[in-house]
Amino acid sequence: VEAVRTVDDGESFRLTPLGFHLSKLPMDAKVGKLLIVGCILGTLDNALTIAAALSCARSCFLPSFQGLDRSSVEARDSLIESGFGGKDWPGGTVKGDLIAVISVYRAWSTRQRSERGKFASDHALDNTALRDMETLRRQFGDLLAESGLIPERRVTAQDDGRGSEEGSSCSNSLAVDDALLTSCSLVAGLYPNIATLVRP
């Protein structure tokens, strides 16, 4: 999808509608496109999580070579398998690294702030990276509101980083539990930077 289009005379350029909206967002174009597609498809909450993960300096998953406790890695794998997009998820089963990020972020963000560090440790997650993602989610949401793409967000004192903003049930997040539509949103938002593994 192009952000700039050549006008009929062949010498001048004009922003496409996507390019116009991207120009209002002071962020990487790939991240901005993902958020715009999330707004359109009603998967904004999930798109905010993925945008934050892509913009974060470190992964929320602790690397296995750090000598992690086997039980914490198994707890993380179980969390991903039974969480968002997992085998029994009512919104469809989807596998992928970014879907796993949504799953663990949701589980982490629903904990009380005082319990999040222990939860992260027990599930082989990086608590600092998850906190950074929470901050980035909030910043991206504010930028979307300032650009007019979503209604103004009023964050409550109990903000848990996932949908506790007043008015979070707006049309931009109606499909927040639909893992299949979220997957479509990711493909559309990140295209052409996508790949799939086809096993023989």
Side-chain angles (χ1 to χ4, degrees):
V1 178
E2 296 180 352
V4 178
R5 179 182 301 141
T6 307
V7 183
D8 292 336
D9 62 15
E11 295 181 12
S12 54
F13 298 92
R14 178 179 302 151
L15 285 175
T16 63
L18 174 62
F20 172 79
H21 290 296
L22 286 173
S23 71
K24 305 280 186 194
L25 298 172
M27 62 184 71
D28 181 76
K30 174 177 60 175
V31 171
K33 182 180 167 194
L34 174 65
L35 294 173
I36 291 170
V37 171
C39 287
I40 294 168
L41 295 181
T43 59
L44 178 59
D45 188 72
N46 299 329
L48 285 167
T49 301
I50 296 307
L54 293 174
S55 303
C56 201
R58 48 204 281 185
S59 171
C60 63
F61 302 110
L62 291 176
S64 57
F65 61 78
Q66 283 189 344
L68 298 174
D69 180 27
R70 184 179 201 81
S71 64
S72 65
V73 174
E74 289 173 357
R76 178 180 67 193
D77 293 345
S78 175
L79 179 68
I80 292 168
E81 187 66 29
S82 63
F84 180 82
K87 62 181 178 183
D88 296 324
W89 187 257
T93 300
V94 180
K95 295 187 182 231
D97 295 347
L98 297 178
I99 298 296
V101 168
I102 295 171
S103 182
V104 298
Y105 181 82
R106 282 181 168 207
W108 175 85
S109 67
T110 57
R111 301 301 188 272
Q112 295 291 327
R113 289 195 184 277
S114 60
E115 300 171 0
R116 290 179 177 179
K118 181 173 182 344
F119 178 83
S121 176
D122 291 345
H123 292 83
L125 301 172
D126 188 330
N127 194 52
T128 303
L130 289 163
R131 281 198 322 257
D132 291 346
M133 285 173 55
E134 180 180 41
T135 301
L136 286 167
R137 278 174 46 90
R138 211 172 294 125
Q139 291 172 353
F140 289 149
D142 291 343
L143 289 170
L144 289 171
E146 288 172 15
S147 70
L149 286 168
I150 63 171
E152 201 63 39
R153 295 160 25 115
R154 293 185 310 274
V155 179
T156 65
Q158 300 292 319
D159 179 25
D160 65 2
R162 182 190 172 265
S164 61
E165 297 89 1
E166 291 180 28
S168 64
S169 61
C170 68
S171 61
N172 301 113
S173 286
L174 288 178
V176 70
D177 289 328
D178 191 331
L180 296 174
L181 190 57
T182 296
S183 180
C184 294
S185 174
L186 291 174
V187 170
L190 296 176
Y191 184 83
N193 299 320
I194 55 173
T196 186
L197 173 64
V198 179
R199 297 184 187 272

